[in-house]
Amino acid sequence: MSLRIPQISFDDSDQLAALCKAGGDSLRLNVLRALASDSFGVLELAQIFATGQSGISHHLKVLTQAGLLATRREGNAIFYRRALPQSDNLGGRVHAALLDEVDQLSLPLDVQARIAAVHAQRSAASEDFFARMAGSFQARQDMIAGFPQYRDSVVALLDALNLPAQATALEVGPGDGSFLPELAHRFARVIAVDNSAAMLELARSRCERDALENVELKLADALQDECPSADCVVLNMVLHHLAAPGEALKQLARLVNMGGSLLITELCSHNQSWAREACGDLWLGFEQDDLARWADAAGLTPGESLYIGLKNGFQIQTRYFSRLAPDSRLTHR
């Protein structure tokens, strides 16, 4: 007589158990906290938490299988970020509640210091690139998307903001200054801030050539140094050069005057990893949901969006996010 082996069935309780198990470890909770508005690769997380690569990989696998983390490939590297809770799915409310509680945690000071070190390494690589390649900046930029290729769309979105005549603009990372004439013609005062002296000289040459007398250039880091607020803060193909894009949006949102807007032109997510070396890109574009999620965390409300497909396979997203009064923001949701 043969024995019949019972079939083991897995039901929804297994998924819920995996979620609860994933949250039952202090290191994994700190990983979730560190990924609140950032994404890191395995080696970066191993550095941040002073843990061996195999050990951190195990914890990442547990979190990913539980649906708490999502992955994204950047060239040859895989980056981890927090997955958004799906309230309609089983465990969605537990997922959301867990993240709410995690966000109340304070990361240990040594972990915060190592996160800052990782960001500094990323920033140094970007700054070094622009210091070395300022002379060939435009040619390199044209390999992906030169300003003339998307100028009309950005200007149309800018005009749709209907800002008053005396409004001010702040452009972070003006590059060679291609966008400054458009801003100068639409705003009473324009401040352009860049942390690269070489790039700022290119912008200065543009201003002198086009006699842009209402443009003020400032050598500074908009994320660390004191900068004036403005009715429109502009990021034109800059975000993919920043070490921590999500955190950067939080910092820059504070520079937007109440009732003003943050105007972003960025690459959509792509897989052309040559852009890292050729153009100094830290990130291979961004998903639409990434910008929306970061903007929401920064207290901004989404407005109009335009998407431009380019012949070389890249796609550009131009979007603005408004800073509304708290009660106005609630009515927009």
Side-chain angles (χ1 to χ4, degrees):
M1 184 177 78
S2 60
L3 294 175
R4 184 177 179 181
I5 301 175
Q7 295 295 315
I8 300 176
S9 61
F10 295 91
D11 55 27
D12 291 340
S13 64
D14 295 292
Q15 180 183 346
L16 192 57
L19 178 61
C20 294
K21 177 184 176 182
D25 181 273
S26 60
L27 176 56
R28 291 198 284 269
L29 292 177
N30 279 327
V31 169
L32 287 173
R33 178 67 184 87
L35 294 174
S37 60
D38 211 333
S39 59
F40 294 104
V42 175
L43 292 179
E44 289 178 329
L45 286 167
Q47 175 183 339
I48 288 168
F49 291 100
T51 304
Q53 183 179 347
S54 60
I56 201 70
S57 295
H58 165 73
H59 289 294
L60 294 173
K61 181 179 180 180
V62 172
L63 289 166
T64 303
Q65 289 179 338
L68 290 168
L69 293 185
T71 59
R72 177 182 168 192
R73 182 170 290 278
E74 290 273 343
N76 295 324
I78 293 177
F79 283 79
Y80 289 82
R81 62 177 176 80
R82 290 201 328 199
L84 295 178
Q86 303 297 321
S87 57
D88 295 337
N89 294 346
L90 179 70
R93 286 175 296 177
V94 176
H95 183 166
L98 177 63
L99 294 186
D100 285 342
E101 293 297 328
V102 162
D103 287 340
Q104 305 306 312
L105 297 175
S106 294
L107 286 169
L109 293 179
D110 57 339
V111 171
Q112 294 182 42
R114 289 192 288 267
I115 289 176
V118 169
H119 288 164
Q121 291 163 10
R122 293 176 179 176
S123 297
S126 181
E127 291 172 16
D128 177 67
F129 174 86
F130 285 107
R132 290 184 293 106
M133 301 300 180
S136 59
F137 171 81
Q138 190 57 60
R140 292 173 181 272
Q141 192 73 5
D142 289 343
M143 295 169 68
I144 297 179
F147 181 65
Q149 294 178 275
Y150 58 90
R151 173 198 172 279
D152 291 346
S153 296
V154 180
V155 168
L157 203 58
L158 183 63
D159 289 339
L161 297 177
N162 292 319
L163 292 169
Q166 293 306 307
T168 58
L170 169 67
E171 183 172 14
V172 178
D176 66 352
S178 296
F179 198 32
L180 289 178
E182 304 295 344
L183 295 175
H185 294 155
R186 289 168 173 80
F187 292 89
R189 180 188 180 207
V190 178
I191 306 99
V193 176
D194 205 308
N195 62 358
S196 168
M199 296 305 300
L200 207 62
E201 281 306 308
L202 294 181
R204 192 180 308 280
S205 297
R206 171 88 59 171
C207 291
E208 292 174 353
R209 185 173 71 244
D210 293 357
L212 305 180
E213 296 181 355
N214 61 335
V215 176
E216 175 186 336
L217 302 177
K218 183 176 181 180
L219 180 62
D221 187 331
L223 302 180
Q224 298 183 23
D225 301 326
E226 184 175 347
C227 288
S229 62
D231 300 301
C232 184
V233 175
V234 177
L235 284 177
N236 186 26
M237 302 297 259
V238 167
L239 204 59
H240 60 263
H241 292 296
L242 300 183
E247 189 59 33
L249 284 193
K250 281 187 180 180
Q251 298 294 329
L252 296 174
R254 298 191 181 105
L255 300 177
V256 180
N257 290 335
M258 197 65 68
S261 295
L262 177 65
L263 179 65
I264 300 176
T265 301
E266 251 310 327
L267 291 171
C268 294
S269 180
H270 64 87
N271 60 3
Q272 302 194 49
S273 57
W274 57 264
R276 287 181 179 276
E277 183 174 348
C279 304
D281 294 7
L282 290 179
W283 306 101
L284 302 182
F286 302 101
E287 300 289 344
Q288 300 166 20
D289 287 346
D290 288 335
L291 295 187
R293 176 166 50 89
W294 295 333
D296 183 70
L300 301 175
T301 300
E304 297 295 326
S305 303
L306 292 174
Y307 297 89
I308 309 109
L310 305 179
K311 292 180 179 179
N312 57 5
F314 291 98
Q315 185 178 28
I316 290 175
Q317 51 184 316
T318 298
R319 311 175 68 178
Y320 78 80
F321 301 91
S322 300
R323 186 181 180 194
L324 305 178
D327 53 345
S328 300
R329 191 164 184 251
L330 289 175
T331 62
H332 276 73
R333 291 191 167 186

PDB file of all heavy atoms in Angstrom, residues 147 171 176-187 190 206-207 209-210 212 214-215:
ATOM      1  N   PHE A 147      19.079  71.181 -25.086  1.00  0.00           N
ATOM      2  CA  PHE A 147      17.936  72.011 -24.705  1.00  0.00           C
ATOM      3  C   PHE A 147      16.982  72.314 -25.865  1.00  0.00           C
ATOM      4  O   PHE A 147      15.757  72.296 -25.679  1.00  0.00           O
ATOM      5  CB  PHE A 147      18.434  73.312 -24.064  1.00  0.00           C
ATOM      6  CG  PHE A 147      17.337  74.219 -23.611  1.00  0.00           C
ATOM      7  CD1 PHE A 147      16.476  73.840 -22.589  1.00  0.00           C
ATOM      8  CD2 PHE A 147      17.147  75.453 -24.215  1.00  0.00           C
ATOM      9  CE1 PHE A 147      15.446  74.679 -22.174  1.00  0.00           C
ATOM     10  CE2 PHE A 147      16.124  76.294 -23.803  1.00  0.00           C
ATOM     11  CZ  PHE A 147      15.274  75.902 -22.794  1.00  0.00           C
ATOM     12  N   GLU A 171      17.079  79.036 -10.476  1.00  0.00           N
ATOM     13  CA  GLU A 171      17.477  77.834 -11.212  1.00  0.00           C
ATOM     14  C   GLU A 171      18.664  77.191 -10.510  1.00  0.00           C
ATOM     15  O   GLU A 171      19.702  77.827 -10.299  1.00  0.00           O
ATOM     16  CB  GLU A 171      17.830  78.113 -12.674  1.00  0.00           C
ATOM     17  CG  GLU A 171      18.170  76.813 -13.403  1.00  0.00           C
ATOM     18  CD  GLU A 171      18.351  76.935 -14.895  1.00  0.00           C
ATOM     19  OE1 GLU A 171      18.488  78.064 -15.399  1.00  0.00           O
ATOM     20  OE2 GLU A 171      18.385  75.881 -15.573  1.00  0.00           O
ATOM     21  N   ASP A 176      25.168  75.364 -18.821  1.00  0.00           N
ATOM     22  CA  ASP A 176      25.777  76.419 -19.639  1.00  0.00           C
ATOM     23  C   ASP A 176      24.866  77.634 -19.782  1.00  0.00           C
ATOM     24  O   ASP A 176      25.153  78.550 -20.540  1.00  0.00           O
ATOM     25  CB  ASP A 176      26.157  75.873 -21.020  1.00  0.00           C
ATOM     26  CG  ASP A 176      24.951  75.464 -21.840  1.00  0.00           C
ATOM     27  OD1 ASP A 176      23.831  75.455 -21.292  1.00  0.00           O
ATOM     28  OD2 ASP A 176      25.124  75.148 -23.035  1.00  0.00           O
ATOM     29  N   GLY A 177      23.751  77.635 -19.041  1.00  0.00           N
ATOM     30  CA  GLY A 177      22.863  78.791 -19.040  1.00  0.00           C
ATOM     31  C   GLY A 177      21.832  78.820 -20.144  1.00  0.00           C
ATOM     32  O   GLY A 177      21.190  79.856 -20.376  1.00  0.00           O
ATOM     33  N   SER A 178      21.602  77.685 -20.799  1.00  0.00           N
ATOM     34  CA  SER A 178      20.679  77.658 -21.940  1.00  0.00           C
ATOM     35  C   SER A 178      19.269  78.115 -21.580  1.00  0.00           C
ATOM     36  O   SER A 178      18.576  78.729 -22.404  1.00  0.00           O
ATOM     37  CB  SER A 178      20.607  76.237 -22.524  1.00  0.00           C
ATOM     38  OG  SER A 178      21.851  75.842 -23.048  1.00  0.00           O
ATOM     39  N   PHE A 179      18.831  77.813 -20.362  1.00  0.00           N
ATOM     40  CA  PHE A 179      17.462  78.122 -19.970  1.00  0.00           C
ATOM     41  C   PHE A 179      17.327  79.528 -19.389  1.00  0.00           C
ATOM     42  O   PHE A 179      16.214  80.048 -19.250  1.00  0.00           O
ATOM     43  CB  PHE A 179      16.986  77.085 -18.944  1.00  0.00           C
ATOM     44  CG  PHE A 179      15.498  77.009 -18.769  1.00  0.00           C
ATOM     45  CD1 PHE A 179      14.639  77.255 -19.823  1.00  0.00           C
ATOM     46  CD2 PHE A 179      14.948  76.686 -17.537  1.00  0.00           C
ATOM     47  CE1 PHE A 179      13.262  77.188 -19.666  1.00  0.00           C
ATOM     48  CE2 PHE A 179      13.570  76.612 -17.359  1.00  0.00           C
ATOM     49  CZ  PHE A 179      12.724  76.865 -18.434  1.00  0.00           C
ATOM     50  N   LEU A 180      18.441  80.148 -19.067  1.00  0.00           N
ATOM     51  CA  LEU A 180      18.391  81.454 -18.401  1.00  0.00           C
ATOM     52  C   LEU A 180      17.717  82.542 -19.242  1.00  0.00           C
ATOM     53  O   LEU A 180      16.968  83.367 -18.681  1.00  0.00           O
ATOM     54  CB  LEU A 180      19.797  81.885 -17.993  1.00  0.00           C
ATOM     55  CG  LEU A 180      20.409  81.075 -16.833  1.00  0.00           C
ATOM     56  CD1 LEU A 180      21.836  81.541 -16.541  1.00  0.00           C
ATOM     57  CD2 LEU A 180      19.548  81.190 -15.571  1.00  0.00           C
ATOM     58  N   PRO A 181      17.934  82.622 -20.558  1.00  0.00           N
ATOM     59  CA  PRO A 181      17.215  83.651 -21.328  1.00  0.00           C
ATOM     60  C   PRO A 181      15.699  83.511 -21.235  1.00  0.00           C
ATOM     61  O   PRO A 181      14.989  84.526 -21.143  1.00  0.00           O
ATOM     62  CB  PRO A 181      17.704  83.415 -22.761  1.00  0.00           C
ATOM     63  CG  PRO A 181      19.057  82.795 -22.596  1.00  0.00           C
ATOM     64  CD  PRO A 181      18.923  81.919 -21.393  1.00  0.00           C
ATOM     65  N   GLU A 182      15.201  82.267 -21.240  1.00  0.00           N
ATOM     66  CA  GLU A 182      13.754  82.053 -21.131  1.00  0.00           C
ATOM     67  C   GLU A 182      13.247  82.530 -19.769  1.00  0.00           C
ATOM     68  O   GLU A 182      12.178  83.141 -19.670  1.00  0.00           O
ATOM     69  CB  GLU A 182      13.418  80.574 -21.329  1.00  0.00           C
ATOM     70  CG  GLU A 182      13.922  79.973 -22.629  1.00  0.00           C
ATOM     71  CD  GLU A 182      13.265  80.595 -23.855  1.00  0.00           C
ATOM     72  OE1 GLU A 182      12.222  81.266 -23.701  1.00  0.00           O
ATOM     73  OE2 GLU A 182      13.797  80.422 -24.961  1.00  0.00           O
ATOM     74  N   LEU A 183      14.005  82.253 -18.722  1.00  0.00           N
ATOM     75  CA  LEU A 183      13.609  82.686 -17.385  1.00  0.00           C
ATOM     76  C   LEU A 183      13.704  84.205 -17.258  1.00  0.00           C
ATOM     77  O   LEU A 183      12.822  84.849 -16.681  1.00  0.00           O
ATOM     78  CB  LEU A 183      14.491  82.009 -16.334  1.00  0.00           C
ATOM     79  CG  LEU A 183      14.363  80.483 -16.214  1.00  0.00           C
ATOM     80  CD1 LEU A 183      15.398  79.951 -15.224  1.00  0.00           C
ATOM     81  CD2 LEU A 183      12.958  80.085 -15.771  1.00  0.00           C
ATOM     82  N   ALA A 184      14.769  84.776 -17.800  1.00  0.00           N
ATOM     83  CA  ALA A 184      14.984  86.217 -17.684  1.00  0.00           C
ATOM     84  C   ALA A 184      13.872  87.009 -18.357  1.00  0.00           C
ATOM     85  O   ALA A 184      13.528  88.120 -17.916  1.00  0.00           O
ATOM     86  CB  ALA A 184      16.331  86.594 -18.283  1.00  0.00           C
ATOM     87  N   HIS A 185      13.298  86.463 -19.414  1.00  0.00           N
ATOM     88  CA  HIS A 185      12.237  87.165 -20.137  1.00  0.00           C
ATOM     89  C   HIS A 185      10.880  87.036 -19.444  1.00  0.00           C
ATOM     90  O   HIS A 185       9.937  87.743 -19.795  1.00  0.00           O
ATOM     91  CB  HIS A 185      12.133  86.615 -21.564  1.00  0.00           C
ATOM     92  CG  HIS A 185      13.334  86.895 -22.383  1.00  0.00           C
ATOM     93  ND1 HIS A 185      13.713  86.117 -23.472  1.00  0.00           N
ATOM     94  CD2 HIS A 185      14.298  87.858 -22.275  1.00  0.00           C
ATOM     95  CE1 HIS A 185      14.835  86.593 -23.986  1.00  0.00           C
ATOM     96  NE2 HIS A 185      15.207  87.640 -23.279  1.00  0.00           N
ATOM     97  N   ARG A 186      10.776  86.137 -18.462  1.00  0.00           N
ATOM     98  CA  ARG A 186       9.480  85.870 -17.830  1.00  0.00           C
ATOM     99  C   ARG A 186       9.424  86.247 -16.353  1.00  0.00           C
ATOM    100  O   ARG A 186       8.346  86.242 -15.773  1.00  0.00           O
ATOM    101  CB  ARG A 186       9.142  84.372 -17.988  1.00  0.00           C
ATOM    102  CG  ARG A 186       8.791  83.998 -19.414  1.00  0.00           C
ATOM    103  CD  ARG A 186       8.751  82.486 -19.616  1.00  0.00           C
ATOM    104  NE  ARG A 186       8.245  82.160 -20.941  1.00  0.00           N
ATOM    105  CZ  ARG A 186       8.993  82.211 -22.054  1.00  0.00           C
ATOM    106  NH1 ARG A 186      10.271  82.555 -21.974  1.00  0.00           N
ATOM    107  NH2 ARG A 186       8.450  81.903 -23.218  1.00  0.00           N
ATOM    108  N   PHE A 187      10.595  86.517 -15.761  1.00  0.00           N
ATOM    109  CA  PHE A 187      10.617  86.813 -14.327  1.00  0.00           C
ATOM    110  C   PHE A 187      11.328  88.140 -14.079  1.00  0.00           C
ATOM    111  O   PHE A 187      12.261  88.510 -14.804  1.00  0.00           O
ATOM    112  CB  PHE A 187      11.313  85.693 -13.554  1.00  0.00           C
ATOM    113  CG  PHE A 187      10.551  84.400 -13.550  1.00  0.00           C
ATOM    114  CD1 PHE A 187      10.745  83.452 -14.552  1.00  0.00           C
ATOM    115  CD2 PHE A 187       9.624  84.127 -12.553  1.00  0.00           C
ATOM    116  CE1 PHE A 187      10.038  82.267 -14.565  1.00  0.00           C
ATOM    117  CE2 PHE A 187       8.911  82.938 -12.551  1.00  0.00           C
ATOM    118  CZ  PHE A 187       9.114  82.001 -13.560  1.00  0.00           C
ATOM    119  N   VAL A 190      15.987  86.666 -11.522  1.00  0.00           N
ATOM    120  CA  VAL A 190      16.385  85.262 -11.666  1.00  0.00           C
ATOM    121  C   VAL A 190      17.696  85.060 -10.937  1.00  0.00           C
ATOM    122  O   VAL A 190      18.657  85.825 -11.123  1.00  0.00           O
ATOM    123  CB  VAL A 190      16.555  84.858 -13.149  1.00  0.00           C
ATOM    124  CG1 VAL A 190      17.008  83.403 -13.254  1.00  0.00           C
ATOM    125  CG2 VAL A 190      15.258  85.085 -13.920  1.00  0.00           C
ATOM    126  N   ARG A 206      26.976  83.206 -21.125  1.00  0.00           N
ATOM    127  CA  ARG A 206      25.657  83.280 -21.759  1.00  0.00           C
ATOM    128  C   ARG A 206      24.939  84.566 -21.351  1.00  0.00           C
ATOM    129  O   ARG A 206      24.349  85.252 -22.186  1.00  0.00           O
ATOM    130  CB  ARG A 206      24.820  82.069 -21.355  1.00  0.00           C
ATOM    131  CG  ARG A 206      23.376  82.124 -21.776  1.00  0.00           C
ATOM    132  CD  ARG A 206      23.137  81.586 -23.139  1.00  0.00           C
ATOM    133  NE  ARG A 206      23.556  80.200 -23.239  1.00  0.00           N
ATOM    134  CZ  ARG A 206      23.284  79.440 -24.305  1.00  0.00           C
ATOM    135  NH1 ARG A 206      22.592  79.935 -25.308  1.00  0.00           N
ATOM    136  NH2 ARG A 206      23.728  78.198 -24.363  1.00  0.00           N
ATOM    137  N   CYS A 207      24.990  84.889 -20.065  1.00  0.00           N
ATOM    138  CA  CYS A 207      24.310  86.089 -19.579  1.00  0.00           C
ATOM    139  C   CYS A 207      24.902  87.355 -20.197  1.00  0.00           C
ATOM    140  O   CYS A 207      24.177  88.290 -20.561  1.00  0.00           O
ATOM    141  CB  CYS A 207      24.398  86.164 -18.059  1.00  0.00           C
ATOM    142  SG  CYS A 207      23.418  84.903 -17.210  1.00  0.00           S
ATOM    143  N   ARG A 209      26.559  87.571 -23.074  1.00  0.00           N
ATOM    144  CA  ARG A 209      26.276  87.578 -24.513  1.00  0.00           C
ATOM    145  C   ARG A 209      24.846  88.022 -24.797  1.00  0.00           C
ATOM    146  O   ARG A 209      24.597  88.774 -25.749  1.00  0.00           O
ATOM    147  CB  ARG A 209      26.521  86.191 -25.105  1.00  0.00           C
ATOM    148  CG  ARG A 209      26.363  86.150 -26.622  1.00  0.00           C
ATOM    149  CD  ARG A 209      26.777  84.813 -27.189  1.00  0.00           C
ATOM    150  NE  ARG A 209      25.829  83.754 -26.868  1.00  0.00           N
ATOM    151  CZ  ARG A 209      26.115  82.700 -26.118  1.00  0.00           C
ATOM    152  NH1 ARG A 209      27.311  82.569 -25.574  1.00  0.00           N
ATOM    153  NH2 ARG A 209      25.199  81.782 -25.887  1.00  0.00           N
ATOM    154  N   ASP A 210      23.885  87.559 -23.953  1.00  0.00           N
ATOM    155  CA  ASP A 210      22.475  87.886 -24.183  1.00  0.00           C
ATOM    156  C   ASP A 210      22.002  89.087 -23.366  1.00  0.00           C
ATOM    157  O   ASP A 210      20.814  89.403 -23.378  1.00  0.00           O
ATOM    158  CB  ASP A 210      21.601  86.675 -23.839  1.00  0.00           C
ATOM    159  CG  ASP A 210      21.821  85.505 -24.783  1.00  0.00           C
ATOM    160  OD1 ASP A 210      22.619  85.656 -25.734  1.00  0.00           O
ATOM    161  OD2 ASP A 210      21.196  84.451 -24.583  1.00  0.00           O
ATOM    162  N   LEU A 212      21.597  89.622 -20.125  1.00  0.00           N
ATOM    163  CA  LEU A 212      20.558  89.259 -19.155  1.00  0.00           C
ATOM    164  C   LEU A 212      20.847  89.974 -17.842  1.00  0.00           C
ATOM    165  O   LEU A 212      21.471  89.433 -16.934  1.00  0.00           O
ATOM    166  CB  LEU A 212      20.545  87.732 -18.961  1.00  0.00           C
ATOM    167  CG  LEU A 212      20.390  86.893 -20.237  1.00  0.00           C
ATOM    168  CD1 LEU A 212      20.387  85.401 -19.890  1.00  0.00           C
ATOM    169  CD2 LEU A 212      19.121  87.271 -20.989  1.00  0.00           C
ATOM    170  N   ASN A 214      18.917  90.958 -15.437  1.00  0.00           N
ATOM    171  CA  ASN A 214      18.145  90.607 -14.237  1.00  0.00           C
ATOM    172  C   ASN A 214      18.483  89.215 -13.713  1.00  0.00           C
ATOM    173  O   ASN A 214      17.756  88.666 -12.890  1.00  0.00           O
ATOM    174  CB  ASN A 214      16.645  90.711 -14.508  1.00  0.00           C
ATOM    175  CG  ASN A 214      16.185  89.756 -15.606  1.00  0.00           C
ATOM    176  OD1 ASN A 214      16.975  89.366 -16.461  1.00  0.00           O
ATOM    177  ND2 ASN A 214      14.918  89.398 -15.588  1.00  0.00           N
ATOM    178  N   VAL A 215      19.606  88.660 -14.184  1.00  0.00           N
ATOM    179  CA  VAL A 215      20.060  87.340 -13.736  1.00  0.00           C
ATOM    180  C   VAL A 215      21.243  87.509 -12.798  1.00  0.00           C
ATOM    181  O   VAL A 215      22.227  88.172 -13.126  1.00  0.00           O
ATOM    182  CB  VAL A 215      20.447  86.428 -14.915  1.00  0.00           C
ATOM    183  CG1 VAL A 215      20.996  85.104 -14.388  1.00  0.00           C
ATOM    184  CG2 VAL A 215      19.245  86.178 -15.817  1.00  0.00           C
TER     185      VAL A 215
END
